[in-house]
């Protein structure tokens, strides 16, 4: 007997951030949320993040989290503050990572992004609400199906970051899959993204729907080249890096380059308190790493530490970096230069044409990183104009997302069963390109929903 689900795209469409999707059993009223993330980088981000949810949080029964990036978890304290008392489900690493990620965001809000403190936000992102979040959170490893009401749930590896999951939801014999973010496999340290072969409905990310990355072998060569250039010029290399996953990947890759003698010993600074904490979580969950990284770790090798690396968790240690002679390399958050310690280094080092800034990930529209990527000759940092004379280098091969061809390959595995594909978490042009390729290659119905739109899934 056919049944119906109602799927609402609350946020996370027409933009690469703010994942939040509502799935309702029309017959029973049981309500499932998938992700509850912050909108980042957009001009209206602050207004959108502070707005009330389009649903009543008190009515939500469960929340599934695909992974621990803030654009997928950052509004959970607000959800709790508004009355959510349901259960949160994810993989074990995601729960551990999420605690540090949300605590870090709370710290940023408490100290104010522009020198002012929003007391309402401090109250929402309070220690009490974060503790409530953790007490509501339950975990299941990959491939351990469980049942909630009339839904069967299974987490599969999406290969994006440690613990990231594809969420499979089976209802009345039909499979609905939320991809979260799909990893750019193979990763230096993670297991590969798994394929789905029997989805009926697919809600999939399309961040890089209209472009491809460099060859994977090239990315390490490019990293080696930019480090060697920095040393040769006796310059400063800035690497704005996401604290979660990109930091750990780069540490692993640099360690390998040093072991092989491919780059000279030079001072490296991991200037990211959050990155340091998250790296400890990676060590805790070695079984979630790929075979190479796992075997190295089990041999007693610290795969995220190498000669010349200094961690600077304290603010005074960070300030001392300015006094250190060149050449030197600074790895610091945030990855889009939208906050964190990297902006202080960019303020100091961007005006010098001898220096280099290396972008290794997607830069959202409206972020400082995007302005630098686009080649602006000056930017504003904390309200002060800063000349951009440093050389800008980019390596998209370290992106944590599948590129266009890989997304098409992912769809191809389930093209024989899928009735409808919805593209989310992408800019409109990227989604449009991918949608057309899906239609051309497989003849499958695909489209990009609009914010707030609801659709009925026939099950």
């Amino acid at each position: 007997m056919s049944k119906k689900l109602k799927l609402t795209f609350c946020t996370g469409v027409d933009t690469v951030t703010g994942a939040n999707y509502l799935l309702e059993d029309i017959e029973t009223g049981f309500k499932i949320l998938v992700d509850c993330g912050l909108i980042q980088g957009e001009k209206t981000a602050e207004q959108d993040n502070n707005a009330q949810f389009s649903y009543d949080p008190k009515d939500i029964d469960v929340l599934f989290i695909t992974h621990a990036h803030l654009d997928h978890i950052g509004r959970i304290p607000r959800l709790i503050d508004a009355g959510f008392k349901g259960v949160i489900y994810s993989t074990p690493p995601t729960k551990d990572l999420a605690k540090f990620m949300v605590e870090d965001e709370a710290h940023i809000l408490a100290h104010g992004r522009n020198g002012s403190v929003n007391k309402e936000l401090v109250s929402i992102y309070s220690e009490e609400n974060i503790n409530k979040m953790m007490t509501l959170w339950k975990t299941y490893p990959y491939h351990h199906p469980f049942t909630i009401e009339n839904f069967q749930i299974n987490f599969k590896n999406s290969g994006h970051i440690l613990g990231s999951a594809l969420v499979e939801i089976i209802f009345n014999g039909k499979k609905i899959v939320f991809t979260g973010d799909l990893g750019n496999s193979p990763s230096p340290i993670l297991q590969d993204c798994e394929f789905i072969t029997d989805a009926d409905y697919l809600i999939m990310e399309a961040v890089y729907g209209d472009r491809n990355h460099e060859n994977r072998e090239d990315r390490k060569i490019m990293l080696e080249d930019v480090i060697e250039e920095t040393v040769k010029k006796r310059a400063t290399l800035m690497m704005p890096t996401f604290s979660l996953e990109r930091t750990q990947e780069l540490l692993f890759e640099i360690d390998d380059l040093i072991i092989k003698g491919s780059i000279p010993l030079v001072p490296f600074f991991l200037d990211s308190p959050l990155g340091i904490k998250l790296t400890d979580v990676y060590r805790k969950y070695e079984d979630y790493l790929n075979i190479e990284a796992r075997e190295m770790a089990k041999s007693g090798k610290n795969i995220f530490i190498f000669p010349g690396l200094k961690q600077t968790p304290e603010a005074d240690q960070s300030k001392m970096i300015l006094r250190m002679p060149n050449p030197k390399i600074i790895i610091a958050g945030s990855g889009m230069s939208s906050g964190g310690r990297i902006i202080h280094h960019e303020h100091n080092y961007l005006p010098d044409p001898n220096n280099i800034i290396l972008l290794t990930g997607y830069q959202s529209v409206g972020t400082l990183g995007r302005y630098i990527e686009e080649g602006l000759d000056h930017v504003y940092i904390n309200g002060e104009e800063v000349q951009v004379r440093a050389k800008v280098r980019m390596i998209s091969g370290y992106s944590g997302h599948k590129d266009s061809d890989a997304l098409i390959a992912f769809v191809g595995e389930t093209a024989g069963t899928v009735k409808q594909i919805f593209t989310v978490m992408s800019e409109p042009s990227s989604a449009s390109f991918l949608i057309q390729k899906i239609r051309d290659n497989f003849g499958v119905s695909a489209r990009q929903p609009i914010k707030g739109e609801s659709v009925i899934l026939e099950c």
Side-chain angles (χ1 to χ4, degrees):
M1 179 179 176
S2 178
K3 295 187 177 183
K4 295 180 179 180
L5 295 175
K6 181 180 177 182
L7 171 62
T8 303
F9 301 90
C10 306
T11 55
V13 290
D14 290 329
T15 178
V16 300
T17 66
N20 189 219
Y21 314 107
L22 175 62
L23 190 65
E24 305 174 64
D25 182 341
I26 292 176
E27 184 178 334
T28 67
F30 192 82
K31 293 180 173 61
I32 294 171
L33 273 187
V34 178
D35 288 336
C36 189
L38 283 172
I39 296 167
Q40 298 172 303
E42 304 292 328
K43 290 182 179 179
T44 60
E46 185 174 353
Q47 175 184 335
D48 292 340
N49 287 327
N50 291 338
Q52 290 185 345
F53 293 100
S54 58
Y55 46 83
D56 188 343
K58 298 186 187 72
D59 295 338
I60 303 300
D61 296 288
V62 297
L63 166 62
F64 296 122
I65 297 298
T66 61
H67 66 284
H69 277 142
L70 281 173
D71 59 336
H72 292 257
I73 63 167
R75 294 188 84 200
I76 299 177
R78 182 178 288 278
L79 192 75
I80 289 170
D81 197 71
F84 171 73
K85 291 183 174 62
V87 183
I88 305 170
Y89 292 95
S90 77
T91 64
T94 294
K95 179 182 179 182
D96 286 7
L97 293 168
K99 182 175 187 292
F100 288 124
M101 294 291 286
V102 174
E103 284 177 344
D104 185 73
E105 181 65 14
H107 176 79
I108 292 171
L109 293 170
H111 290 78
R113 295 185 186 273
N114 300 303
S116 60
V117 176
N118 185 318
K119 292 182 179 180
E120 181 184 359
L121 288 180
V122 172
S123 173
I124 291 169
Y125 287 82
S126 64
E127 183 178 355
E128 179 184 1
N129 281 344
I130 294 173
N131 287 337
K132 284 182 183 177
M133 176 183 80
M134 300 312 295
T135 59
L136 295 174
W137 207 306
K138 295 184 178 180
T139 64
Y140 282 89
Y142 298 132
H143 307 296
H144 281 68
F146 56 101
T147 300
I148 303 173
E149 293 287 316
N150 297 319
F151 299 86
Q152 284 183 295
I153 314 299
N154 188 34
F155 296 139
K156 287 188 175 179
N157 195 340
S158 75
H160 177 59
I161 65 172
L162 188 75
S164 61
L166 300 145
V167 179
E168 292 185 332
I169 301 175
I170 298 176
F171 176 79
N172 200 35
K174 302 298 182 183
K175 181 177 287 188
I176 304 101
V177 178
F178 292 83
T179 68
D181 289 345
L182 294 167
N184 180 25
S185 302
S187 156
I189 57 176
L190 295 179
Q191 298 171 21
D192 288 352
C193 173
E194 297 184 74
F195 285 104
I196 302 296
T197 60
D198 56 353
D200 293 284
Y201 298 98
L202 186 62
I203 299 89
M204 68 176 292
E205 66 110 321
V207 173
Y208 282 95
D210 61 348
R211 76 207 85 163
N212 288 323
H213 306 316
E214 307 104 350
N215 184 286
R216 286 183 176 84
E217 288 71 27
D218 291 342
R219 66 187 179 189
K220 199 167 183 180
I221 295 171
M222 295 171 71
L223 177 62
E224 178 183 339
D225 287 345
V226 76
I227 292 172
E228 288 180 339
E229 181 184 359
T230 301
V231 175
K232 184 177 180 180
K233 295 171 61 178
R234 301 196 63 79
T236 294
L237 171 61
M238 295 164 282
M239 299 173 67
T241 307
F242 298 101
S243 297
L244 181 50
E245 186 58 32
R246 194 65 38 74
T247 291
Q248 292 76 32
E249 279 192 349
L250 287 170
L251 291 175
F252 183 82
E253 293 276 69
I254 293 167
D255 179 38
D256 187 58
L257 289 172
I258 289 176
I259 288 173
K260 292 177 179 176
S262 301
I263 57 174
L265 291 178
V266 61
F268 283 83
F269 296 93
L270 177 54
D271 194 27
S272 171
L274 178 59
I276 294 166
K277 292 176 182 177
L278 297 176
T279 301
D280 288 338
V281 179
Y282 272 67
R283 293 190 185 98
K284 177 181 176 181
Y285 290 101
E286 291 174 356
D287 287 345
Y288 281 75
L289 304 180
N290 62 29
I291 292 174
E292 179 187 5
R294 195 162 62 241
E295 288 182 349
M296 289 177 64
K298 290 187 183 303
S299 72
K301 172 79 172 71
N302 190 327
I303 60 176
F304 303 113
I305 295 291
F306 50 83
L309 178 67
K310 181 175 178 56
Q311 298 181 348
T312 55
E314 304 300 329
D316 288 345
Q317 294 173 313
S318 177
K319 292 174 183 176
M320 285 291 291
I321 296 173
L322 184 60
R323 302 181 191 174
M324 299 299 292
N326 290 344
K328 60 190 173 190
I329 297 170
I330 304 166
I331 302 170
S334 68
M336 299 183 193
S337 301
S338 55
R341 290 183 179 177
I342 193 64
I343 61 174
H344 302 292
H345 298 299
E346 289 169 345
H347 183 277
N348 291 324
Y349 297 114
L350 281 177
D352 188 340
N354 194 50
N355 294 331
I356 303 170
I357 182 166
L358 175 63
L359 307 178
T360 59
Y362 186 84
Q363 308 295 315
S364 289
V365 173
T367 62
L368 176 57
R370 183 66 165 254
Y371 295 141
I372 294 171
E373 180 184 56
E374 291 174 345
L376 271 66
D377 60 7
H378 70 275
V379 293
Y380 289 89
I381 298 177
N382 291 333
E384 183 177 342
E385 183 178 308
V386 176
Q387 297 299 311
V388 182
R389 298 190 183 96
K391 292 177 175 59
V392 180
R393 301 279 190 264
M394 289 170 279
I395 307 178
S396 69
Y398 279 104
S399 170
H401 296 262
K402 288 192 184 302
D403 63 14
S404 184
D405 286 351
L407 289 170
I408 288 295
F410 181 86
V411 171
E413 294 294 321
T414 193
T417 64
V418 70
K419 298 180 178 66
Q420 179 72 55
I421 296 174
F422 302 98
T423 59
V424 296
M425 300 296 281
S426 70
E427 295 173 9
S429 59
S430 178
S432 296
F433 185 90
L434 182 67
I435 287 166
Q436 192 59 53
K437 285 186 71 175
I438 290 172
R439 292 170 179 169
D440 292 345
N441 279 272
F442 309 115
V444 171
S445 177
R447 68 184 184 87
Q448 184 180 37
I450 61 173
K451 181 181 176 181
E453 179 182 354
S454 295
V455 296
I456 301 300
L457 307 184
E458 297 286 347
C459 298

